[in-house]
Amino acid sequence: MVDYCNVTVLGNVTKDFEVKKIEKEGKEPLHVVNFSVAVNEGKDKGATYLKCVLYGEERCRVFYEQAQKGTQVLVSGRLKLDKFEFNGESRTEVSIVVSWVQCTQRTKKVS
């Protein structure tokens, strides 16, 4: 049996982002949005910052049109742990692979 860790967080998008299109020979292009969410821990407690990754052309397009820096979002997905080396040091990074995202407040993109 495979274990599965699902999380749901409510927070604000921390910076503007863009949709990236990854081309692989002989395959359909993969559309990706990498963004971060700040989850406020309460007065005088700061915030927790979580990296998120969203896949899929239509999902990325809709998210791009509806969200920007400061937009409050509800994000649900599975946790992913990445281990890597940086400047000779072992590092770990936790991110959310988004299965569902909803903008809880609408903000207009300024062109």
Side-chain angles (χ1 to χ4, degrees):
M1 178 184 219
V2 176
D3 292 331
Y4 183 78
C5 184
N6 192 64
V7 295
T8 301
V9 297
L10 176 68
N12 296 323
V13 176
T14 61
K15 61 183 178 180
D16 288 325
F17 51 86
E18 61 184 39
V19 177
K20 294 182 182 176
K21 186 174 169 182
I22 301 170
E23 303 276 350
K24 288 192 177 182
E25 191 174 321
K27 293 187 177 184
E28 290 288 319
L30 179 65
H31 294 78
V32 180
V33 171
N34 290 296
F35 63 101
S36 294
V37 173
V39 179
N40 189 352
E41 299 294 332
K43 188 174 182 179
D44 300 327
K45 292 184 181 178
T48 300
Y49 296 88
L50 299 165
K51 291 186 177 187
C52 302
V53 60
L54 176 67
Y55 296 103
E57 181 177 5
E58 183 67 14
R59 294 171 54 188
C60 289
R61 183 191 61 76
V62 170
F63 185 69
Y64 179 80
E65 290 173 355
Q66 294 182 356
Q68 64 185 23
K69 180 180 177 178
T71 302
Q72 187 178 62
V73 292
L74 186 62
V75 177
S76 184
R78 68 178 172 85
L79 290 179
K80 181 180 177 202
L81 179 67
D82 290 314
K83 296 180 181 184
F84 59 95
E85 291 218 5
F86 182 76
N87 291 338
E89 291 184 27
S90 292
R91 303 263 177 118
T92 57
E93 182 176 271
V94 177
S95 59
I96 299 173
V97 178
V98 178
S99 58
W100 182 83
V101 61
Q102 176 70 48
C103 295
T104 60
Q105 61 181 199
R106 303 279 178 174
T107 54
K108 276 192 152 179
K109 292 256 183 191
V110 178
S111 300

